[in-house]
Amino acid sequence: MKSSIRRNRRAATAVALGSVLALTATACGDDGSGGAGDKGGEGSGKGTITFWDNNGGVRTDIWKQIIADFEKKYPDIEVKYVGIPAASAQSKYDTAIQGGGLPDVGGVGTAMLAEVAVQGALEPLDGRLEKSSLNGRLSQNLLDVSKSAGGGDTLYQLPTSANNGTLWYRTDLFKKAGLDAPATWAKFYEAAGRLTDKGHNEFGFTIRGGEGAIAPALDAVYGQTGITSFWNGDRTTVNDPRNVAALEKYIALYKKDTPSADVNNDFTKMVAQWDSGTIGMLSHNLGSYQDHLKALGKEKFRGIPNPTLDDGTRVQVSNPVDGLSLFKSSKNKAAAWKFIEFALSAAENSKYNESAGQVPANTDAAKDAWIQRAEPTKLAAEALNGGDTKIVQLPYYLPDWNTISKADNEPNFQKLLLGKMSAKEFLDTLADQLNAAQADWKKNH
């Protein structure tokens, strides 16, 4: 029933979208830029362009610094900054696509990239990148994530930054127990067991069971099996027998080597619990670094990329990637592209990511001094840019991805932890939904 409702909703959306595109094909927005059907033009490469920041407020100050640097280098181009709160960025773009008034360039994260691209709003960037000084200077792994998230082989976004998965561990507890760093999955499981002492409320690991549980669970599953593709033809590999076995091993940690409260913990509660207690390891992204630093001090913890296989190969699922897109309706694409190139240059991309605490997409920026001082970010950058890291591309392009990975299956993951569902049942249910969503997407694209 739920799947049928979603298919009907998508069909209705497709009809509505067709009408919108027909109406906006010759429309012009209030600020001179059009809707999704307007092809725009290269323009003079001078004059005024509009930039939408999709994380306004949080990133406003750093973007204004970058804009000031840009306008100093290109005094004949003015950038109008518009800050949009992250929570409303998707709806803001959708409204502008339908009614006109799109920016020349804007921040578009991978979570919304396919939906914006499928409406015909974005300019393909492959050809521009090939002729750019940025060619060969952006992380290939991040470019692959951008292409995959756009729904195919076309590049609709240049990545600016990534927030990589990180295994945080208590160096003081590891040293006391005589344990090596949990750099491999074998060492991870060994540490989880040896650091657990329930009688003293000490646990080796904290597992995410509440909101946002699916992506880290998939990260652990694919990381252990070494399967490097989410799809085998049009069928997902998520319920491959090797993945089932890996998930069984992973969730067996719950209540044995983890606190029982983990079943309800989202990242906020999980991070707070790790920072205040005596738990050996925590899997979370780079974003919690400052929390750990404040709570523990730099001598008591360390953050490393997710564990590798015994042969040193690291497999991880794709993390959401933020980036910049050029809008097809822009009347001054030449100036807008100059801004994108400038923002992705080594100096500016480094400045942006130092402020954001994330991994730069520009590989030269990833070598800068501030990253060398911030070991978790340094190691994450090396992992993302290293030849031994294989990225499993999650299907962000599927319209149902968020529904499937959150509303439909987060409650099932809690049932899994509580023993009310088997790992095979959980992954088979997830696979059936993903296969249906993929077939529907293929049919309509």
Side-chain angles (χ1 to χ4, degrees):
M1 176 65 73
K2 191 179 292 183
S3 178
S4 175
I5 290 171
R6 285 201 298 269
R7 283 197 297 271
N8 291 338
R9 186 176 70 238
R10 287 197 300 274
T13 301
V15 172
L17 179 58
S19 300
V20 167
L21 294 181
L23 288 170
T24 59
T26 57
C28 288
D30 295 337
D31 62 357
S33 59
D38 192 332
K39 294 182 179 180
E42 286 299 306
S44 65
K46 302 178 182 179
T48 301
I49 59 172
T50 299
F51 165 59
W52 284 8
D53 172 11
N54 62 323
N55 200 2
V58 178
R59 301 283 178 250
T60 296
D61 289 344
I62 188 60
W63 273 120
K64 287 192 172 180
Q65 288 181 40
I66 293 171
I67 289 169
D69 292 345
F70 175 77
E71 290 178 340
K72 183 177 181 180
K73 181 175 181 178
Y74 297 99
D76 51 3
I77 303 175
E78 177 188 357
V79 180
K80 292 174 62 177
Y81 171 88
V82 179
I84 304 168
S88 57
Q90 176 73 70
S91 60
K92 179 77 171 176
Y93 280 125
D94 287 342
T95 299
I97 288 170
Q98 295 176 27
L102 285 164
D104 299 279
V105 58
V108 181
T110 48
M112 71 176 83
L113 184 62
E115 186 169 339
V116 177
V118 78
Q119 296 181 72
L122 302 179
E123 181 83 359
L125 299 178
D126 303 83
R128 293 177 189 267
L129 181 58
E130 286 177 7
K131 300 173 184 176
S132 170
S133 60
L134 292 174
N135 192 23
R137 297 185 181 279
L138 300 180
S139 166
Q140 189 57 52
N141 275 334
L142 295 190
L143 287 170
D144 290 343
V145 172
S146 295
K147 280 193 175 184
S148 176
D153 296 324
T154 302
L155 187 65
Y156 290 111
Q157 174 219 60
L158 284 197
T160 55
S161 54
N163 198 353
N164 205 44
T166 301
L167 182 63
W168 304 96
Y169 72 98
R170 290 283 300 269
T171 51
D172 56 340
L173 300 182
F174 271 68
K175 182 178 180 180
K176 183 179 178 181
L179 289 165
D180 294 332
T184 66
W185 284 104
K187 291 181 178 179
F188 165 82
Y189 281 108
E190 179 191 4
R194 286 180 53 185
L195 291 174
T196 297
D197 183 347
K198 292 183 181 179
H200 291 87
N201 201 36
E202 297 171 357
F203 297 93
F205 184 56
T206 175
I207 194 169
R208 187 167 180 168
E211 183 181 354
I214 304 302
L218 292 179
D219 216 2
V221 165
Y222 280 95
Q224 292 176 77
T225 62
I227 296 172
T228 57
S229 176
F230 197 78
W231 300 103
N232 182 9
D234 289 333
R235 310 288 292 180
T236 181
T237 60
V238 76
N239 61 336
D240 183 288
R242 291 169 291 174
N243 281 345
V244 173
L247 183 59
E248 288 173 343
K249 186 174 184 179
Y250 183 69
I251 59 102
L253 293 172
Y254 176 63
K255 286 205 300 187
K256 181 174 77 72
D257 297 321
T258 81
S260 58
D262 281 354
V263 69
N264 294 312
N265 282 352
D266 59 11
F267 87 90
T268 304
K269 294 175 183 175
M270 189 174 62
V271 167
Q273 179 176 262
W274 191 73
D275 285 345
S276 63
T278 51
I279 299 174
M281 296 177 290
L282 160 74
S283 184
H284 189 245
N285 59 46
L286 291 169
S288 56
Y289 176 65
Q290 292 300 328
D291 292 326
H292 308 324
L293 196 61
K294 183 178 179 181
L296 300 170
K298 64 180 181 179
E299 302 301 328
K300 290 186 178 180
F301 77 97
R302 190 174 177 226
I304 61 175
N306 287 339
T308 69
L309 299 171
D310 288 340
D311 67 0
T313 301
R314 177 176 287 107
V315 177
Q316 63 183 61
V317 300
S318 55
N319 282 269
V321 171
D322 210 7
L324 297 175
S325 295
L326 177 61
F327 283 81
K328 190 175 291 185
S329 59
S330 170
K331 303 297 191 297
N332 199 349
K333 293 175 187 172
W337 177 246
K338 284 181 184 177
F339 179 69
I340 292 175
E341 283 187 305
F342 183 84
L344 266 296
S345 66
E348 302 300 320
N349 191 231
S350 178
K351 182 185 298 184
Y352 175 84
N353 281 284
E354 183 175 12
S355 171
Q358 296 182 335
V359 179
N362 188 302
T363 53
D364 291 329
K367 301 171 186 174
D368 279 358
W370 70 268
I371 290 185
Q372 306 309 309
R373 292 191 298 268
E375 188 195 34
T377 307
K378 173 179 177 284
L379 295 176
E382 290 172 354
L384 282 173
N385 297 323
D388 290 334
T389 298
K390 311 298 181 186
I391 306 291
V392 179
Q393 303 293 348
L394 295 182
Y396 297 120
Y397 59 86
L398 291 178
D400 282 347
W401 169 248
N402 282 336
T403 301
I404 291 171
S405 64
K406 293 182 179 295
D408 287 358
N409 285 288
E410 284 179 355
N412 283 346
F413 190 75
Q414 291 181 315
K415 291 180 182 178
L416 174 63
L417 290 178
L418 294 171
K420 298 178 180 179
M421 180 179 258
S422 71
K424 186 176 188 305
E425 289 171 329
F426 174 80
L427 291 178
D428 281 346
T429 299
L430 180 60
D432 287 345
Q433 294 169 342
L434 288 165
N435 290 335
Q438 176 76 348
D440 186 71
W441 187 84
K442 288 267 188 173
K443 180 181 177 181
N444 290 291
H445 294 82

